[in-house]
Amino acid sequence: IKLNLIAVDEAHCISQWGYDFRPSYLKIAEIREFHPTVTMLALTATATRKVQQDIQEKLLFRKENIFQKSFARHNLSYSVFCEEGKVNKVIDILQKVPGSSIVYCRSRRHTKEIASLLQARGISAGYYHAGLNAEERSKRQEAWIKNKIRTIVSTNAFGMGIDKPDVRVVIHYDLPDNPEAYYQEAGRAGRDE
């Protein structure tokens, strides 16, 4: 095969999560043995300086060359609420803001519980987490993408490679691990600008 470019999407998986979440990403650099002169491009929406360095080292980049867009997305609004009844606040937000939405939780149990509570309040919702089999995950993701369900309640297992343009709300029911994860997940909203 004559290759002109090798592009690695979601490249932060090489560094940030690759060791346990996407171990196959750690083997990508092996392709350099067969195509040593082909340009390699690594793409990610969020990477700290340390992760950027690690990506370049793991992919055996010959020289540092980073193109970076600001995290600031002028079409997004960020709000923080300190609420006793978090589920009621989630319902309130979803009732006021129409369109597709994602609610992120840290536990698999929460995803199922919150999806059920949303359904009981008349909000079309499903849940998603890594404990579901691949067929079920794919079915639920597809239902959300095709707007058969409005809200997906998920752990951070959901979203990798998702590029749904009309997401209007991303809610973090629980705090993510770090600011990079927050921006990665929040950035799934408003991709249609």
Side-chain angles (χ1 to χ4, degrees):
I1 293 178
K2 178 156 174 38
L3 295 181
N4 295 320
L5 175 71
I6 299 167
V8 181
D9 198 12
E10 305 292 354
H12 56 273
C13 291
I14 290 166
S15 175
Q16 200 172 4
W17 299 320
Y19 303 107
D20 47 51
F21 186 56
R22 297 267 197 253
S24 58
Y25 269 70
L26 298 175
K27 297 179 181 180
I28 292 172
E30 293 173 12
I31 200 167
R32 289 247 191 236
E33 292 176 40
F34 306 101
H35 303 281
T37 61
V38 174
T39 300
M40 185 175 284
L41 174 68
L43 304 163
T44 180
T46 50
T48 62
R49 187 77 188 130
K50 182 180 176 188
V51 171
Q52 291 171 18
Q53 291 300 123
D54 199 28
I55 289 168
Q56 292 177 83
E57 288 171 18
K58 297 268 189 334
L59 292 178
L60 308 174
F61 277 32
R62 291 183 282 277
K63 66 176 189 170
E64 182 176 310
N65 194 6
I66 297 173
F67 300 95
Q68 186 172 1
K69 184 178 175 183
S70 170
F71 282 130
R73 298 261 309 274
H74 301 291
N75 64 323
L76 298 185
S77 169
Y78 301 92
S79 301
V80 178
F81 301 98
C82 183
E83 296 286 330
E84 297 250 347
K86 290 197 292 187
V87 172
N88 290 333
K89 187 62 179 178
V90 169
I91 291 167
D92 181 53
I93 292 168
L94 294 176
Q95 287 175 336
K96 289 179 179 171
V97 182
S100 287
S101 53
I102 306 171
V103 177
Y104 281 107
C105 303
R106 288 183 62 99
S107 79
R108 295 175 181 183
R109 183 179 53 85
H110 265 146
T111 64
K112 188 173 182 180
E113 288 173 1
I114 293 169
S116 294
L117 290 168
L118 295 178
Q119 290 167 0
R121 295 292 293 271
I123 297 169
S124 172
Y127 67 94
Y128 183 106
H129 57 70
L132 301 169
N133 67 49
E135 182 182 339
E136 191 60 35
R137 286 194 316 268
S138 180
K139 195 165 79 175
R140 291 174 191 213
Q141 178 176 312
E142 197 65 24
W144 180 75
I145 287 172
K146 291 184 175 178
N147 294 318
K148 292 179 181 174
I149 58 171
R150 176 182 168 212
T151 303
I152 194 82
V153 183
S154 176
T155 61
N156 65 0
F158 183 79
M160 191 75 68
I162 296 291
D163 193 19
K164 190 173 193 306
D166 61 343
V167 177
R168 297 294 170 245
V169 176
V170 174
I171 298 171
H172 286 87
Y173 188 84
D174 300 306
L175 286 174
D177 289 335
N178 54 52
E180 292 78 32
Y182 174 80
Y183 278 108
Q184 176 86 14
E185 293 161 3
R188 299 203 168 101
R191 292 194 172 184
D192 56 1
E193 299 288 326

